[in-house]
């Protein structure tokens, strides 16, 4: 759930999720400069909570914006075995 995410959280990103990299300069801020789609499920780390629709994650060696409803926080296992 989006409200549960914090910067630094480990998240699951499913296969077939669109990844977007936006421009960082003032001139092209908000303009997609790169796009990709995940082929396999993977793990990412939350680097920024951009707005209600996108979460920025470090995934595959780069920072990407992902629709927040496609990011799932991994819960800590607190069971004692």
């Amino acid at each position: 759930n989006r409200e549960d995410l914090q910067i630094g959280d480990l998240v699951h990103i499913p296969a077939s999720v669109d990844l977007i990299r936006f421009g960082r300069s003032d001139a092209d801020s908000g303009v997609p400069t790169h796009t990709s789609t995940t082929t396999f499920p993977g793990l990412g780390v939350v680097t920024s909570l951009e707005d209600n629709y996108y979460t920025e994650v470090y995934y595959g060696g780069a920072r990407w914006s992902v629709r927040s409803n496609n990011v799932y926080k991994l819960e800590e296992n607190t069971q004692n075995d």
Side-chain angles (χ1 to χ4, degrees):
N1 192 339
R2 169 63 192 213
E3 294 81 31
D4 296 334
L5 289 178
Q6 295 180 17
I7 293 173
D9 282 346
L10 187 62
V11 291
H12 169 79
I13 303 168
S16 302
V17 168
D18 293 326
L19 307 172
I20 303 169
R21 197 171 315 147
F22 292 101
R24 297 285 180 197
S25 71
D26 289 340
D28 63 3
S29 180
V31 176
T33 57
H34 296 83
T35 60
S36 186
T37 302
T38 57
T39 305
F40 300 99
L43 298 177
V45 177
V46 175
T47 57
S48 176
L49 301 170
E50 298 178 5
D51 58 35
N52 289 331
Y53 300 104
Y54 287 96
T55 298
E56 184 181 81
V57 297
Y58 185 80
Y59 172 82
R63 289 181 180 216
W64 295 95
S65 293
V66 182
R67 293 285 309 247
S68 296
N69 61 346
N70 290 323
V71 175
Y72 302 92
K73 181 178 177 178
L74 294 181
E75 299 297 326
E76 292 183 35
N77 184 355
T78 57
Q79 295 178 350
N80 294 331
D81 293 319

PDB file of all heavy atoms in Angstrom, residues 49-81:
ATOM      1  N   LEU A  49       9.429   9.232  -2.966  1.00  0.00           N
ATOM      2  CA  LEU A  49       7.979   9.112  -3.059  1.00  0.00           C
ATOM      3  C   LEU A  49       7.499  10.343  -3.816  1.00  0.00           C
ATOM      4  O   LEU A  49       7.249  11.390  -3.230  1.00  0.00           O
ATOM      5  CB  LEU A  49       7.365   9.013  -1.665  1.00  0.00           C
ATOM      6  CG  LEU A  49       7.875   7.829  -0.841  1.00  0.00           C
ATOM      7  CD1 LEU A  49       7.413   7.934   0.600  1.00  0.00           C
ATOM      8  CD2 LEU A  49       7.418   6.522  -1.455  1.00  0.00           C
ATOM      9  N   GLU A  50       7.443  10.229  -5.146  1.00  0.00           N
ATOM     10  CA  GLU A  50       7.245  11.384  -6.015  1.00  0.00           C
ATOM     11  C   GLU A  50       5.881  12.036  -5.872  1.00  0.00           C
ATOM     12  O   GLU A  50       5.770  13.235  -5.724  1.00  0.00           O
ATOM     13  CB  GLU A  50       7.491  10.984  -7.462  1.00  0.00           C
ATOM     14  CG  GLU A  50       8.912  10.513  -7.694  1.00  0.00           C
ATOM     15  CD  GLU A  50       9.160  10.062  -9.109  1.00  0.00           C
ATOM     16  OE1 GLU A  50       8.265  10.182  -9.959  1.00  0.00           O
ATOM     17  OE2 GLU A  50      10.269   9.585  -9.362  1.00  0.00           O
ATOM     18  N   ASP A  51       4.829  11.272  -5.979  1.00  0.00           N
ATOM     19  CA  ASP A  51       3.469  11.781  -5.860  1.00  0.00           C
ATOM     20  C   ASP A  51       2.569  10.585  -5.605  1.00  0.00           C
ATOM     21  O   ASP A  51       3.048   9.495  -5.324  1.00  0.00           O
ATOM     22  CB  ASP A  51       3.046  12.577  -7.108  1.00  0.00           C
ATOM     23  CG  ASP A  51       3.143  11.762  -8.393  1.00  0.00           C
ATOM     24  OD1 ASP A  51       2.886  10.534  -8.365  1.00  0.00           O
ATOM     25  OD2 ASP A  51       3.467  12.350  -9.426  1.00  0.00           O
ATOM     26  N   ASN A  52       1.275  10.762  -5.715  1.00  0.00           N
ATOM     27  CA  ASN A  52       0.350   9.661  -5.435  1.00  0.00           C
ATOM     28  C   ASN A  52       0.360   8.586  -6.507  1.00  0.00           C
ATOM     29  O   ASN A  52      -0.131   7.496  -6.282  1.00  0.00           O
ATOM     30  CB  ASN A  52      -1.074  10.192  -5.272  1.00  0.00           C
ATOM     31  CG  ASN A  52      -1.233  10.960  -3.981  1.00  0.00           C
ATOM     32  OD1 ASN A  52      -0.549  10.690  -3.008  1.00  0.00           O
ATOM     33  ND2 ASN A  52      -2.128  11.921  -3.976  1.00  0.00           N
ATOM     34  N   TYR A  53       0.901   8.898  -7.684  1.00  0.00           N
ATOM     35  CA  TYR A  53       0.824   7.962  -8.800  1.00  0.00           C
ATOM     36  C   TYR A  53       2.125   7.220  -9.077  1.00  0.00           C
ATOM     37  O   TYR A  53       2.114   6.113  -9.597  1.00  0.00           O
ATOM     38  CB  TYR A  53       0.379   8.690 -10.075  1.00  0.00           C
ATOM     39  CG  TYR A  53      -0.972   9.315  -9.913  1.00  0.00           C
ATOM     40  CD1 TYR A  53      -1.095  10.684  -9.727  1.00  0.00           C
ATOM     41  CD2 TYR A  53      -2.122   8.543  -9.907  1.00  0.00           C
ATOM     42  CE1 TYR A  53      -2.344  11.262  -9.562  1.00  0.00           C
ATOM     43  CE2 TYR A  53      -3.366   9.105  -9.732  1.00  0.00           C
ATOM     44  CZ  TYR A  53      -3.468  10.467  -9.561  1.00  0.00           C
ATOM     45  OH  TYR A  53      -4.703  11.039  -9.385  1.00  0.00           O
ATOM     46  N   TYR A  54       3.272   7.832  -8.759  1.00  0.00           N
ATOM     47  CA  TYR A  54       4.565   7.226  -9.061  1.00  0.00           C
ATOM     48  C   TYR A  54       5.448   7.137  -7.830  1.00  0.00           C
ATOM     49  O   TYR A  54       5.435   8.014  -6.974  1.00  0.00           O
ATOM     50  CB  TYR A  54       5.310   8.033 -10.131  1.00  0.00           C
ATOM     51  CG  TYR A  54       4.724   7.869 -11.507  1.00  0.00           C
ATOM     52  CD1 TYR A  54       3.812   8.779 -12.002  1.00  0.00           C
ATOM     53  CD2 TYR A  54       5.071   6.783 -12.297  1.00  0.00           C
ATOM     54  CE1 TYR A  54       3.259   8.630 -13.260  1.00  0.00           C
ATOM     55  CE2 TYR A  54       4.521   6.617 -13.562  1.00  0.00           C
ATOM     56  CZ  TYR A  54       3.621   7.541 -14.039  1.00  0.00           C
ATOM     57  OH  TYR A  54       3.070   7.380 -15.275  1.00  0.00           O
ATOM     58  N   THR A  55       6.238   6.066  -7.788  1.00  0.00           N
ATOM     59  CA  THR A  55       7.251   5.869  -6.767  1.00  0.00           C
ATOM     60  C   THR A  55       8.572   5.695  -7.505  1.00  0.00           C
ATOM     61  O   THR A  55       8.631   4.950  -8.478  1.00  0.00           O
ATOM     62  CB  THR A  55       6.945   4.615  -5.926  1.00  0.00           C
ATOM     63  OG1 THR A  55       5.694   4.806  -5.264  1.00  0.00           O
ATOM     64  CG2 THR A  55       8.026   4.349  -4.898  1.00  0.00           C
ATOM     65  N   GLU A  56       9.621   6.385  -7.073  1.00  0.00           N
ATOM     66  CA  GLU A  56      10.920   6.201  -7.697  1.00  0.00           C
ATOM     67  C   GLU A  56      11.655   5.083  -6.980  1.00  0.00           C
ATOM     68  O   GLU A  56      11.725   5.065  -5.747  1.00  0.00           O
ATOM     69  CB  GLU A  56      11.752   7.483  -7.636  1.00  0.00           C
ATOM     70  CG  GLU A  56      13.072   7.348  -8.372  1.00  0.00           C
ATOM     71  CD  GLU A  56      13.898   8.604  -8.294  1.00  0.00           C
ATOM     72  OE1 GLU A  56      14.572   8.808  -7.258  1.00  0.00           O
ATOM     73  OE2 GLU A  56      13.855   9.382  -9.269  1.00  0.00           O
ATOM     74  N   VAL A  57      12.196   4.149  -7.759  1.00  0.00           N
ATOM     75  CA  VAL A  57      12.921   3.011  -7.200  1.00  0.00           C
ATOM     76  C   VAL A  57      14.268   2.867  -7.892  1.00  0.00           C
ATOM     77  O   VAL A  57      14.433   3.255  -9.045  1.00  0.00           O
ATOM     78  CB  VAL A  57      12.126   1.689  -7.345  1.00  0.00           C
ATOM     79  CG1 VAL A  57      10.834   1.734  -6.574  1.00  0.00           C
ATOM     80  CG2 VAL A  57      11.874   1.347  -8.798  1.00  0.00           C
ATOM     81  N   TYR A  58      15.222   2.312  -7.151  1.00  0.00           N
ATOM     82  CA  TYR A  58      16.494   1.915  -7.745  1.00  0.00           C
ATOM     83  C   TYR A  58      16.319   0.455  -8.143  1.00  0.00           C
ATOM     84  O   TYR A  58      16.071  -0.406  -7.295  1.00  0.00           O
ATOM     85  CB  TYR A  58      17.641   2.085  -6.739  1.00  0.00           C
ATOM     86  CG  TYR A  58      18.982   1.795  -7.346  1.00  0.00           C
ATOM     87  CD1 TYR A  58      19.627   2.745  -8.125  1.00  0.00           C
ATOM     88  CD2 TYR A  58      19.607   0.569  -7.152  1.00  0.00           C
ATOM     89  CE1 TYR A  58      20.856   2.492  -8.700  1.00  0.00           C
ATOM     90  CE2 TYR A  58      20.837   0.304  -7.717  1.00  0.00           C
ATOM     91  CZ  TYR A  58      21.458   1.266  -8.494  1.00  0.00           C
ATOM     92  OH  TYR A  58      22.675   1.001  -9.070  1.00  0.00           O
ATOM     93  N   TYR A  59      16.400   0.208  -9.442  1.00  0.00           N
ATOM     94  CA  TYR A  59      16.125  -1.129  -9.975  1.00  0.00           C
ATOM     95  C   TYR A  59      17.020  -1.352 -11.188  1.00  0.00           C
ATOM     96  O   TYR A  59      17.089  -0.494 -12.080  1.00  0.00           O
ATOM     97  CB  TYR A  59      14.648  -1.226 -10.376  1.00  0.00           C
ATOM     98  CG  TYR A  59      14.276  -2.482 -11.116  1.00  0.00           C
ATOM     99  CD1 TYR A  59      14.009  -3.661 -10.427  1.00  0.00           C
ATOM    100  CD2 TYR A  59      14.190  -2.493 -12.498  1.00  0.00           C
ATOM    101  CE1 TYR A  59      13.665  -4.824 -11.109  1.00  0.00           C
ATOM    102  CE2 TYR A  59      13.845  -3.653 -13.180  1.00  0.00           C
ATOM    103  CZ  TYR A  59      13.599  -4.806 -12.479  1.00  0.00           C
ATOM    104  OH  TYR A  59      13.265  -5.955 -13.150  1.00  0.00           O
ATOM    105  N   GLY A  60      17.726  -2.463 -11.227  1.00  0.00           N
ATOM    106  CA  GLY A  60      18.546  -2.793 -12.386  1.00  0.00           C
ATOM    107  C   GLY A  60      19.658  -1.803 -12.662  1.00  0.00           C
ATOM    108  O   GLY A  60      20.011  -1.576 -13.813  1.00  0.00           O
ATOM    109  N   GLY A  61      20.186  -1.174 -11.632  1.00  0.00           N
ATOM    110  CA  GLY A  61      21.309  -0.270 -11.788  1.00  0.00           C
ATOM    111  C   GLY A  61      20.953   1.166 -12.123  1.00  0.00           C
ATOM    112  O   GLY A  61      21.830   1.965 -12.443  1.00  0.00           O
ATOM    113  N   ALA A  62      19.664   1.508 -12.067  1.00  0.00           N
ATOM    114  CA  ALA A  62      19.248   2.880 -12.386  1.00  0.00           C
ATOM    115  C   ALA A  62      18.024   3.253 -11.559  1.00  0.00           C
ATOM    116  O   ALA A  62      17.344   2.388 -11.004  1.00  0.00           O
ATOM    117  CB  ALA A  62      18.933   3.009 -13.872  1.00  0.00           C
ATOM    118  N   ARG A  63      17.747   4.551 -11.510  1.00  0.00           N
ATOM    119  CA  ARG A  63      16.527   5.035 -10.848  1.00  0.00           C
ATOM    120  C   ARG A  63      15.407   5.104 -11.874  1.00  0.00           C
ATOM    121  O   ARG A  63      15.583   5.678 -12.954  1.00  0.00           O
ATOM    122  CB  ARG A  63      16.764   6.416 -10.241  1.00  0.00           C
ATOM    123  CG  ARG A  63      17.669   6.372  -9.049  1.00  0.00           C
ATOM    124  CD  ARG A  63      17.855   7.757  -8.485  1.00  0.00           C
ATOM    125  NE  ARG A  63      18.741   7.703  -7.341  1.00  0.00           N
ATOM    126  CZ  ARG A  63      18.595   8.462  -6.270  1.00  0.00           C
ATOM    127  NH1 ARG A  63      17.626   9.333  -6.195  1.00  0.00           N
ATOM    128  NH2 ARG A  63      19.433   8.347  -5.269  1.00  0.00           N
ATOM    129  N   TRP A  64      14.276   4.533 -11.520  1.00  0.00           N
ATOM    130  CA  TRP A  64      13.111   4.497 -12.399  1.00  0.00           C
ATOM    131  C   TRP A  64      11.877   4.945 -11.633  1.00  0.00           C
ATOM    132  O   TRP A  64      11.756   4.706 -10.435  1.00  0.00           O
ATOM    133  CB  TRP A  64      12.855   3.072 -12.894  1.00  0.00           C
ATOM    134  CG  TRP A  64      13.917   2.513 -13.762  1.00  0.00           C
ATOM    135  CD1 TRP A  64      14.964   1.717 -13.378  1.00  0.00           C
ATOM    136  CD2 TRP A  64      14.042   2.675 -15.180  1.00  0.00           C
ATOM    137  NE1 TRP A  64      15.717   1.391 -14.460  1.00  0.00           N
ATOM    138  CE2 TRP A  64      15.182   1.963 -15.582  1.00  0.00           C
ATOM    139  CE3 TRP A  64      13.301   3.365 -16.138  1.00  0.00           C
ATOM    140  CZ2 TRP A  64      15.591   1.910 -16.915  1.00  0.00           C
ATOM    141  CZ3 TRP A  64      13.709   3.309 -17.457  1.00  0.00           C
ATOM    142  CH2 TRP A  64      14.845   2.592 -17.838  1.00  0.00           C
ATOM    143  N   SER A  65      10.945   5.538 -12.344  1.00  0.00           N
ATOM    144  CA  SER A  65       9.630   5.829 -11.780  1.00  0.00           C
ATOM    145  C   SER A  65       8.692   4.699 -12.173  1.00  0.00           C
ATOM    146  O   SER A  65       8.692   4.256 -13.325  1.00  0.00           O
ATOM    147  CB  SER A  65       9.097   7.160 -12.317  1.00  0.00           C
ATOM    148  OG  SER A  65       9.888   8.216 -11.838  1.00  0.00           O
ATOM    149  N   VAL A  66       7.945   4.218 -11.196  1.00  0.00           N
ATOM    150  CA  VAL A  66       7.035   3.090 -11.385  1.00  0.00           C
ATOM    151  C   VAL A  66       5.670   3.491 -10.845  1.00  0.00           C
ATOM    152  O   VAL A  66       5.590   4.157  -9.805  1.00  0.00           O
ATOM    153  CB  VAL A  66       7.551   1.836 -10.626  1.00  0.00           C
ATOM    154  CG1 VAL A  66       6.658   0.648 -10.849  1.00  0.00           C
ATOM    155  CG2 VAL A  66       8.987   1.513 -11.012  1.00  0.00           C
ATOM    156  N   ARG A  67       4.621   3.121 -11.535  1.00  0.00           N
ATOM    157  CA  ARG A  67       3.278   3.383 -10.994  1.00  0.00           C
ATOM    158  C   ARG A  67       3.208   2.786  -9.594  1.00  0.00           C
ATOM    159  O   ARG A  67       3.575   1.624  -9.379  1.00  0.00           O
ATOM    160  CB  ARG A  67       2.195   2.765 -11.875  1.00  0.00           C
ATOM    161  CG  ARG A  67       2.041   3.375 -13.247  1.00  0.00           C
ATOM    162  CD  ARG A  67       1.351   4.724 -13.257  1.00  0.00           C
ATOM    163  NE  ARG A  67       0.100   4.752 -12.554  1.00  0.00           N
ATOM    164  CZ  ARG A  67      -1.074   4.928 -13.122  1.00  0.00           C
ATOM    165  NH1 ARG A  67      -1.178   5.085 -14.419  1.00  0.00           N
ATOM    166  NH2 ARG A  67      -2.154   4.956 -12.382  1.00  0.00           N
ATOM    167  N   SER A  68       2.744   3.561  -8.650  1.00  0.00           N
ATOM    168  CA  SER A  68       2.729   3.133  -7.251  1.00  0.00           C
ATOM    169  C   SER A  68       1.913   1.866  -7.019  1.00  0.00           C
ATOM    170  O   SER A  68       2.225   1.081  -6.125  1.00  0.00           O
ATOM    171  CB  SER A  68       2.207   4.267  -6.365  1.00  0.00           C
ATOM    172  OG  SER A  68       3.085   5.361  -6.419  1.00  0.00           O
ATOM    173  N   ASN A  69       0.893   1.635  -7.843  1.00  0.00           N
ATOM    174  CA  ASN A  69       0.097   0.413  -7.656  1.00  0.00           C
ATOM    175  C   ASN A  69       0.808  -0.834  -8.189  1.00  0.00           C
ATOM    176  O   ASN A  69       0.288  -1.932  -8.072  1.00  0.00           O
ATOM    177  CB  ASN A  69      -1.293   0.565  -8.281  1.00  0.00           C
ATOM    178  CG  ASN A  69      -1.255   0.809  -9.771  1.00  0.00           C
ATOM    179  OD1 ASN A  69      -0.212   1.118 -10.340  1.00  0.00           O
ATOM    180  ND2 ASN A  69      -2.403   0.684 -10.412  1.00  0.00           N
ATOM    181  N   ASN A  70       2.021  -0.683  -8.761  1.00  0.00           N
ATOM    182  CA  ASN A  70       2.820  -1.814  -9.231  1.00  0.00           C
ATOM    183  C   ASN A  70       4.015  -2.109  -8.338  1.00  0.00           C
ATOM    184  O   ASN A  70       4.890  -2.885  -8.712  1.00  0.00           O
ATOM    185  CB  ASN A  70       3.328  -1.556 -10.661  1.00  0.00           C
ATOM    186  CG  ASN A  70       2.214  -1.597 -11.676  1.00  0.00           C
ATOM    187  OD1 ASN A  70       1.290  -2.388 -11.564  1.00  0.00           O
ATOM    188  ND2 ASN A  70       2.297  -0.740 -12.670  1.00  0.00           N
ATOM    189  N   VAL A  71       4.072  -1.482  -7.178  1.00  0.00           N
ATOM    190  CA  VAL A  71       5.185  -1.640  -6.247  1.00  0.00           C
ATOM    191  C   VAL A  71       4.629  -2.234  -4.956  1.00  0.00           C
ATOM    192  O   VAL A  71       3.675  -1.710  -4.392  1.00  0.00           O
ATOM    193  CB  VAL A  71       5.858  -0.272  -5.967  1.00  0.00           C
ATOM    194  CG1 VAL A  71       6.919  -0.397  -4.914  1.00  0.00           C
ATOM    195  CG2 VAL A  71       6.430   0.305  -7.251  1.00  0.00           C
ATOM    196  N   TYR A  72       5.260  -3.324  -4.500  1.00  0.00           N
ATOM    197  CA  TYR A  72       4.755  -4.027  -3.317  1.00  0.00           C
ATOM    198  C   TYR A  72       5.860  -4.135  -2.273  1.00  0.00           C
ATOM    199  O   TYR A  72       6.899  -4.751  -2.524  1.00  0.00           O
ATOM    200  CB  TYR A  72       4.248  -5.424  -3.697  1.00  0.00           C
ATOM    201  CG  TYR A  72       3.165  -5.359  -4.737  1.00  0.00           C
ATOM    202  CD1 TYR A  72       3.468  -5.441  -6.097  1.00  0.00           C
ATOM    203  CD2 TYR A  72       1.841  -5.176  -4.373  1.00  0.00           C
ATOM    204  CE1 TYR A  72       2.472  -5.356  -7.064  1.00  0.00           C
ATOM    205  CE2 TYR A  72       0.836  -5.087  -5.332  1.00  0.00           C
ATOM    206  CZ  TYR A  72       1.167  -5.177  -6.667  1.00  0.00           C
ATOM    207  OH  TYR A  72       0.185  -5.086  -7.619  1.00  0.00           O
ATOM    208  N   LYS A  73       5.621  -3.537  -1.113  1.00  0.00           N
ATOM    209  CA  LYS A  73       6.602  -3.564  -0.030  1.00  0.00           C
ATOM    210  C   LYS A  73       6.788  -4.996   0.464  1.00  0.00           C
ATOM    211  O   LYS A  73       5.815  -5.734   0.657  1.00  0.00           O
ATOM    212  CB  LYS A  73       6.124  -2.680   1.121  1.00  0.00           C
ATOM    213  CG  LYS A  73       7.084  -2.616   2.281  1.00  0.00           C
ATOM    214  CD  LYS A  73       6.572  -1.679   3.350  1.00  0.00           C
ATOM    215  CE  LYS A  73       7.491  -1.677   4.544  1.00  0.00           C
ATOM    216  NZ  LYS A  73       7.031  -0.730   5.569  1.00  0.00           N
ATOM    217  N   LEU A  74       8.060  -5.391   0.653  1.00  0.00           N
ATOM    218  CA  LEU A  74       8.346  -6.698   1.239  1.00  0.00           C
ATOM    219  C   LEU A  74       8.265  -6.563   2.746  1.00  0.00           C
ATOM    220  O   LEU A  74       8.870  -5.661   3.330  1.00  0.00           O
ATOM    221  CB  LEU A  74       9.734  -7.187   0.823  1.00  0.00           C
ATOM    222  CG  LEU A  74       9.899  -7.495  -0.651  1.00  0.00           C
ATOM    223  CD1 LEU A  74      11.312  -7.982  -0.927  1.00  0.00           C
ATOM    224  CD2 LEU A  74       8.898  -8.537  -1.104  1.00  0.00           C
ATOM    225  N   GLU A  75       7.525  -7.433   3.341  1.00  0.00           N
ATOM    226  CA  GLU A  75       7.352  -7.395   4.787  1.00  0.00           C
ATOM    227  C   GLU A  75       8.474  -8.160   5.464  1.00  0.00           C
ATOM    228  O   GLU A  75       8.947  -9.165   4.947  1.00  0.00           O
ATOM    229  CB  GLU A  75       5.997  -8.010   5.176  1.00  0.00           C
ATOM    230  CG  GLU A  75       4.805  -7.287   4.602  1.00  0.00           C
ATOM    231  CD  GLU A  75       4.668  -5.853   5.094  1.00  0.00           C
ATOM    232  OE1 GLU A  75       5.025  -5.577   6.262  1.00  0.00           O
ATOM    233  OE2 GLU A  75       4.217  -5.008   4.315  1.00  0.00           O
ATOM    234  N   GLU A  76       8.885  -7.652   6.608  1.00  0.00           N
ATOM    235  CA  GLU A  76       9.911  -8.346   7.384  1.00  0.00           C
ATOM    236  C   GLU A  76       9.325  -9.593   8.001  1.00  0.00           C
ATOM    237  O   GLU A  76       8.187  -9.600   8.472  1.00  0.00           O
ATOM    238  CB  GLU A  76      10.437  -7.447   8.495  1.00  0.00           C
ATOM    239  CG  GLU A  76      11.220  -6.267   7.994  1.00  0.00           C
ATOM    240  CD  GLU A  76      11.775  -5.443   9.141  1.00  0.00           C
ATOM    241  OE1 GLU A  76      12.149  -6.039  10.172  1.00  0.00           O
ATOM    242  OE2 GLU A  76      11.808  -4.222   9.005  1.00  0.00           O
ATOM    243  N   ASN A  77      10.122 -10.654   8.004  1.00  0.00           N
ATOM    244  CA  ASN A  77       9.714 -11.881   8.670  1.00  0.00           C
ATOM    245  C   ASN A  77      10.125 -11.776  10.124  1.00  0.00           C
ATOM    246  O   ASN A  77      11.310 -11.767  10.451  1.00  0.00           O
ATOM    247  CB  ASN A  77      10.379 -13.087   7.997  1.00  0.00           C
ATOM    248  CG  ASN A  77       9.919 -14.392   8.594  1.00  0.00           C
ATOM    249  OD1 ASN A  77       9.175 -14.415   9.564  1.00  0.00           O
ATOM    250  ND2 ASN A  77      10.351 -15.478   8.000  1.00  0.00           N
ATOM    251  N   THR A  78       9.140 -11.683  11.004  1.00  0.00           N
ATOM    252  CA  THR A  78       9.431 -11.497  12.429  1.00  0.00           C
ATOM    253  C   THR A  78       9.229 -12.773  13.236  1.00  0.00           C
ATOM    254  O   THR A  78       9.278 -12.760  14.446  1.00  0.00           O
ATOM    255  CB  THR A  78       8.564 -10.374  13.027  1.00  0.00           C
ATOM    256  OG1 THR A  78       7.184 -10.698  12.813  1.00  0.00           O
ATOM    257  CG2 THR A  78       8.879  -9.039  12.372  1.00  0.00           C
ATOM    258  N   GLN A  79       9.020 -13.885  12.538  1.00  0.00           N
ATOM    259  CA  GLN A  79       8.822 -15.159  13.233  1.00  0.00           C
ATOM    260  C   GLN A  79      10.156 -15.687  13.734  1.00  0.00           C
ATOM    261  O   GLN A  79      11.174 -15.558  13.081  1.00  0.00           O
ATOM    262  CB  GLN A  79       8.200 -16.187  12.314  1.00  0.00           C
ATOM    263  CG  GLN A  79       6.812 -15.848  11.865  1.00  0.00           C
ATOM    264  CD  GLN A  79       6.274 -16.901  10.920  1.00  0.00           C
ATOM    265  OE1 GLN A  79       6.984 -17.781  10.464  1.00  0.00           O
ATOM    266  NE2 GLN A  79       4.997 -16.801  10.597  1.00  0.00           N
ATOM    267  N   ASN A  80      10.135 -16.265  14.916  1.00  0.00           N
ATOM    268  CA  ASN A  80      11.310 -16.942  15.449  1.00  0.00           C
ATOM    269  C   ASN A  80      11.216 -18.408  15.125  1.00  0.00           C
ATOM    270  O   ASN A  80      10.282 -19.081  15.518  1.00  0.00           O
ATOM    271  CB  ASN A  80      11.407 -16.749  16.961  1.00  0.00           C
ATOM    272  CG  ASN A  80      11.671 -15.310  17.350  1.00  0.00           C
ATOM    273  OD1 ASN A  80      12.296 -14.585  16.581  1.00  0.00           O
ATOM    274  ND2 ASN A  80      11.191 -14.899  18.502  1.00  0.00           N
ATOM    275  N   ASP A  81      12.186 -18.902  14.380  1.00  0.00           N
ATOM    276  CA  ASP A  81      12.172 -20.337  14.000  1.00  0.00           C
ATOM    277  C   ASP A  81      12.897 -21.166  15.021  1.00  0.00           C
ATOM    278  O   ASP A  81      13.823 -20.825  15.611  1.00  0.00           O
ATOM    279  CB  ASP A  81      12.822 -20.531  12.627  1.00  0.00           C
ATOM    280  CG  ASP A  81      11.957 -19.882  11.544  1.00  0.00           C
ATOM    281  OD1 ASP A  81      10.726 -20.016  11.614  1.00  0.00           O
ATOM    282  OD2 ASP A  81      12.559 -19.268  10.629  1.00  0.00           O
TER     283      ASP A  81
END
